[in-house]
Amino acid sequence: MDEERDGESCSPGGEEANGRIEQQNGNNTVLEEATETAAESSPGEHDYTYWPSVRFNVPPNRNYHFSAQFRDSAYSNNFHKGVKWSPDGSCFLSSSEDNKLRLFSLPDYYDGCDPSAYSVAPGTDSYGASVVVDEGEPIYDFCWYPYMSSSDPASCVFATTTRDHPIHLWDATSSTLRCTYRAYDAVDEITAAISVAFNSDGTKIFAGYNKCIRVFNVHRPGRDFKQYSTLKGNKEGQTGIISAIAFSPSHTGMLATGSFSQTTAIYREDNMELLYLLHGQEGGITHVQFSKDGNYLYSGGRKDPYIMCWDVRKAVEVVYKLYRSAAQTNQRIYFDIEPHGRHLATGGEDGLVHIYDLQTGQWISGFQAASDTVNGFSFHPFLPMAVSSSGHRRFQAPDEEDNNFHLSGILNSRTRQPPAPPPVKDDTSYDLPRLPDDIILTNILSLLDIRLLARFALLAKPFRDCPKLGQRLDFGQPVFEQLVREGLYVSTVGRIIEEHKGPKIRSLKLRFDPDNNEEHWAMVADWIIKVAQKGIEELDFDFYQGNQAFLLSDDIFKIETLQILRLSYCDFVLPDLETKFAVTGLPCLRILSFKKMSLQDLTVIEALLESCLQLETLELLYCCFPTYFRIAAGHLKRFKECKLVTCMEIMEVTIEAPSLTTLHYFGPMVIFRYKDFDKLTDCILNFKPQRFGFFHYESWSIFVIK
């Protein structure tokens, strides 16, 4: 992140330097070449009404570091737990394992003070904390008053919640306790909140507890509060401990809560009405944040490598996922969105800070912020600066000297000092087994998308074979359009599949024109056999660009691990059409989708419905059917959804599926023979108009939603 002002580089950032955070005074010429100038202003005038334009593809510079004052703590295993800028940008607040919060004021070097004046010797801090607050118990969460301004001392407060204590409101200038907000349980004992947040107008404090949210009036400290249960009488709603709270910045009256039960919920602030309940996170939610316009919500969890993006206007499914290294840690890892609202930054266990473009969900850049877990990252509200923190809990023998500590600093986190080598052991001792590096690398990279692996392959030699380790081989994205134009698509896909080094391939998606080439047909058949040997779970083939339906062998019906099968513009080479065709595999198939295929014979459909006992969804889109079409699924206990789209030749549809709950039909007027319409929860019958010469009948639709 770089910005240029009056010929001087005042850009934030960070990089690791032998276990210390050091001042980066750098080469101004190099920095100027990587600089994107902010909005035009006259010489000597700097308008910070808007956040300056920043280039995230350039590693930032580290200006300050803080470590010694944390290492002097009585806690031998102290580490950082999070960091947040104040709303006015004058200071930032840090939380650490020693149960203390430290406030660091920002030096005003933008008004003429040279930042090199704060450059200090290795092992010492750039400067000390202005305020230190000792909570005495582990700190669960903390937050700033949203309208905090250093020019108004009355507004300089922040709230904290700690174990076995009520919510505390602290004075940020004098470290004195302003007031407390106490919640009591069923036996009239004080219960501690796990999460805490001010609402948008700063008049109320929302606190998360087990299966409930308590709301305190800021101006009325004490034990007066309103309690809202997150569970309804029929046990519907959000269960578990409410571990994260965020309010929409667009003042729409919405707030989001995360729970350790792996769910995210969106409520109305005025009456706590549940609007959406979002599922999909692999671990308990530790942080939620709205986009700057309030239209999207981002959630991250513990032991979960993905930050999920949800559209709050139609929160049905995930918009996209952002990867971060957090699959092995239980600690809370904060992420943040820059003031422009275009980019999101997050840390992880690998010590990297990743930058993502929120409009596309694409990875933009990253830099090494520490050699340990980066658990906090926060953008300055209006300056091109950021602060990060790092560290995690380590267990060691009581007699060992603790030299393993690292903490945060402005514009970057302090990098962790490498641990001391283990003592020499006698012959009777033994070491725990250590996984080889190649196994660790394989397991990490195999979880990434093929597009990201292709980028890694360009970085360095050790990553050259990254695409051959991926488990999700999606060759239908725009990133491969150039390969199609250059005629390298088939050879590239074939090389990656043939030389695949990973233990498993979960999905394979193909999009290309086979050109009626029999060599391509044989090659795809070989690919199917290869991926079947590696436990393929999803196949998605689309050959719609060809002039002739792509011929697939019956080997595709023998894959025992396949769960999802999507085929477009394909045909099958069956062994003998005179006899009844039988499917010998696909015992795990759940979703079957055929598009633009000829199903006049219905042999394949009948065989699949007879053999795939786990089938849940059947989609037949723009296919050619016989005049009388029958779906015989009376023996399928899990068959829930059926979709038929634009079947122009069909006249009568017979459905035998007692377990069916969703039926969608788009096409001409037909006779439906189905006796269980009253059991459907979602039914759409959209009959398209029939045209006769210059006249046609208007279409009509039926929507039934129970």
Side-chain angles (χ1 to χ4, degrees):
M1 298 178 287
D2 286 337
E3 186 199 19
E4 179 178 345
R5 274 190 201 87
D6 300 334
E8 294 184 0
S9 175
C10 301
S11 54
E15 64 181 41
E16 183 177 349
N18 300 325
R20 302 184 301 274
I21 298 182
E22 297 181 345
Q23 172 78 26
Q24 303 295 322
N25 296 324
N27 187 334
N28 283 342
T29 303
V30 176
L31 291 176
E32 289 170 1
E33 292 177 355
T35 296
E36 180 178 282
T37 306
E40 294 292 335
S41 62
S42 59
E45 295 179 357
H46 306 297
D47 183 9
Y48 295 120
T49 304
Y50 301 100
W51 208 58
S53 298
V54 174
R55 293 182 60 183
F56 289 97
N57 59 346
V58 179
N61 295 329
R62 178 186 301 124
N63 284 11
Y64 308 101
H65 73 272
F66 309 91
S67 60
Q69 53 197 303
F70 298 93
R71 191 179 290 112
D72 292 340
S73 171
Y75 282 73
S76 60
N77 191 18
N78 195 16
F79 63 92
H80 214 46
K81 298 169 68 174
V83 62
K84 296 180 181 180
W85 279 106
S86 62
D88 69 342
S90 62
C91 56
F92 63 89
L93 187 65
S94 68
S95 170
S96 52
E97 177 67 6
D98 59 359
N99 307 331
K100 294 182 180 180
L101 295 106
R102 294 172 173 85
L103 186 146
F104 296 86
S105 298
L106 178 64
D108 196 11
Y109 66 81
Y110 279 93
D111 288 339
C113 181
D114 185 1
S116 62
Y118 293 89
S119 179
V120 295
T124 58
D125 291 354
S126 298
Y127 53 88
S130 304
V131 174
V132 179
V133 173
D134 190 353
E135 279 284 10
E137 293 291 341
I139 301 168
Y140 291 147
D141 197 8
F142 63 100
C143 64
W144 283 99
Y145 177 67
Y147 296 102
M148 177 269 184
S149 175
S150 56
S151 61
D152 182 10
S155 66
C156 296
V157 293
F158 58 88
T160 63
T161 176
T162 58
R163 185 178 64 186
D164 299 331
H165 281 265
I167 297 172
H168 292 160
L169 192 68
W170 296 94
D171 192 312
T173 59
S174 61
S175 72
T176 58
L177 182 62
R178 289 272 189 96
C179 50
T180 61
Y181 302 89
R182 302 186 297 274
Y184 292 82
D185 57 17
V187 294
D188 204 35
E189 293 182 351
I190 290 180
T191 178
I194 303 300
S195 57
V196 62
F198 287 92
N199 64 346
S200 299
D201 56 11
T203 58
K204 297 178 182 179
I205 294 178
F206 283 66
Y209 298 84
N210 186 21
K211 301 177 184 177
C212 71
I213 295 175
R214 292 182 171 95
V215 182
F216 300 87
N217 191 323
V218 173
H219 304 291
R220 298 182 63 184
R223 62 180 301 167
D224 293 335
F225 59 83
K226 291 184 179 180
Q227 180 171 320
Y228 300 93
S229 175
T230 59
L231 284 178
K232 305 299 181 183
N234 55 0
K235 302 301 181 182
E236 293 182 356
Q238 190 176 29
T239 185
I241 296 175
I242 307 303
S243 53
I245 302 176
F247 287 85
S248 175
S250 59
H251 300 279
T252 56
M254 290 193 302
L255 73 148
T257 63
S259 169
F260 283 155
S261 64
Q262 305 175 2
T263 58
T264 304
I266 300 177
Y267 297 90
R268 286 182 54 181
E269 179 184 341
D270 53 356
N271 58 4
M272 292 302 295
E273 176 189 355
L274 178 61
L275 302 179
Y276 301 106
L277 187 63
L278 310 175
H279 300 269
Q281 211 82 46
E282 297 179 5
I285 309 299
T286 56
H287 186 44
V288 292
Q289 185 174 355
F290 280 93
S291 61
K292 297 301 179 180
D293 58 4
N295 291 332
Y296 296 91
L297 177 68
Y298 299 88
S299 62
R302 60 187 183 182
K303 287 193 174 181
D304 190 336
Y306 294 103
I307 297 173
M308 294 189 174
C309 173
W310 309 87
D311 190 337
V312 300
R313 297 163 296 184
K314 48 177 181 178
V316 178
E317 58 184 12
V318 179
V319 180
Y320 53 73
K321 298 180 180 180
L322 310 178
Y323 173 79
R324 64 176 178 178
S325 176
Q328 303 298 326
T329 180
N330 276 315
Q331 70 183 125
R332 190 191 301 261
I333 296 181
Y334 293 95
F335 53 86
D336 195 21
I337 299 174
E338 49 92 0
H340 276 315
R342 278 291 306 272
H343 301 88
L344 181 146
T346 178
E349 295 177 282
D350 52 4
L352 294 173
V353 172
H354 296 283
I355 310 294
Y356 289 93
D357 189 330
L358 296 185
Q359 289 191 349
T360 62
Q362 298 295 320
W363 181 85
I364 299 299
S365 66
F367 60 90
Q368 189 75 36
S371 59
D372 207 343
T373 303
V374 177
N375 50 39
F377 191 89
S378 180
F379 286 105
H380 193 280
F382 54 84
L383 291 177
M385 307 179 70
V387 60
S388 65
S389 61
S390 62
H392 69 265
R393 181 175 288 108
R394 297 182 180 276
F395 299 94
Q396 59 184 13
D399 56 345
E400 290 184 10
E401 181 182 359
D402 178 39
N403 292 322
N404 305 330
F405 176 77
H406 60 128
L407 230 275
S408 71
I410 293 181
L411 315 181
N412 201 342
S413 60
R414 182 192 185 281
T415 44
R416 184 181 183 279
Q417 293 182 354
V424 179
K425 300 181 180 181
D426 55 22
D427 296 337
T428 60
S429 63
Y430 63 92
D431 293 325
L432 292 175
R434 181 179 181 274
L435 290 175
D437 292 339
D438 57 343
I439 295 180
I440 297 176
L441 184 64
T442 299
N443 282 274
I444 293 175
L445 296 179
S446 64
L447 301 175
L448 303 182
D449 186 83
I450 186 67
R451 294 172 292 172
L452 189 57
L453 293 177
R455 293 180 180 177
F456 284 163
L458 303 176
L459 294 179
K461 280 188 176 181
F463 301 104
R464 183 173 298 172
D465 292 334
C466 281
K468 302 174 184 177
L469 299 173
Q471 296 185 12
R472 296 174 174 82
L473 306 182
D474 187 351
F475 297 101
Q477 300 297 330
V479 71
F480 293 98
E481 290 182 356
Q482 183 177 357
L483 295 177
V484 175
R485 290 193 297 267
E486 297 176 356
L488 301 176
Y489 185 93
V490 175
S491 60
T492 302
V493 175
R495 184 175 67 256
I496 292 178
I497 295 179
E498 294 290 337
E499 302 177 5
H500 191 270
K501 298 180 179 180
K504 186 178 181 63
I505 297 178
R506 295 186 182 275
S507 63
L508 173 63
K509 298 183 180 181
L510 299 179
R511 302 283 191 280
F512 74 99
D513 179 5
D515 296 328
N516 300 330
N517 192 328
E518 295 184 1
E519 294 182 359
H520 289 174
W521 298 346
M523 189 175 298
V524 173
D526 291 338
W527 295 348
I528 294 175
I529 296 175
K530 293 285 186 182
V531 298
Q533 295 172 352
K534 295 203 172 187
I536 190 71
E537 297 176 0
E538 179 181 359
L539 286 178
D540 189 343
F541 295 164
D542 190 345
F543 305 107
Y544 71 96
Q545 297 176 347
N547 298 321
Q548 181 179 345
F550 192 89
L551 290 179
L552 290 174
S553 67
D554 62 340
D555 291 332
I556 201 169
F557 301 119
K558 301 176 183 179
I559 306 176
E560 297 184 352
T561 58
L562 195 62
Q563 299 182 20
I564 301 175
L565 178 61
R566 302 181 188 276
L567 301 177
S568 177
Y569 205 48
C570 299
D571 202 352
F572 302 103
V573 181
L574 303 181
D576 188 0
L577 292 179
E578 300 296 332
T579 60
K580 184 177 180 180
F581 174 67
V583 176
T584 58
L586 305 181
C588 301
L589 190 67
R590 296 184 296 105
I591 299 176
L592 177 64
S593 177
F594 287 167
K595 183 178 180 181
K596 295 183 179 180
M597 296 177 58
S598 177
L599 301 176
Q600 293 286 350
D601 188 10
L602 291 183
T603 301
V604 175
I605 294 294
E606 293 174 354
L608 288 170
L609 291 177
E610 181 178 349
S611 302
C612 301
L613 301 182
Q614 304 297 322
L615 190 66
E616 300 175 1
T617 301
L618 175 63
E619 296 180 352
L620 304 176
L621 314 176
Y622 307 102
C623 296
C624 295
F625 293 92
T627 305
Y628 300 94
F629 180 72
R630 178 172 176 264
I631 297 178
H635 61 292
L636 300 181
K637 304 302 181 183
R638 299 187 178 184
F639 187 55
K640 302 294 184 183
E641 184 176 1
C642 180
K643 294 183 179 180
L644 306 176
V645 178
T646 314
C647 310
M648 298 307 298
E649 302 299 329
I650 199 168
M651 296 179 60
E652 182 177 316
V653 176
T654 302
I655 300 178
E656 300 174 6
S659 61
L660 195 67
T661 59
T662 300
L663 175 61
H664 293 178
Y665 174 82
F666 299 85
M669 184 79 70
V670 297
I671 299 174
F672 262 97
R673 298 188 182 276
Y674 179 58
K675 62 181 180 180
D676 296 319
F677 271 105
D678 57 328
K679 296 181 180 180
L680 297 177
T681 59
D682 183 5
C683 179
I684 300 178
L685 303 179
N686 189 342
F687 298 107
K688 290 194 172 182
Q690 298 291 330
R691 297 180 181 272
F692 300 95
F694 295 103
F695 303 97
H696 68 277
Y697 298 104
E698 295 293 335
S699 63
W700 59 283
S701 305
I702 300 176
F703 298 88
V704 180
I705 301 177
K706 295 185 179 180

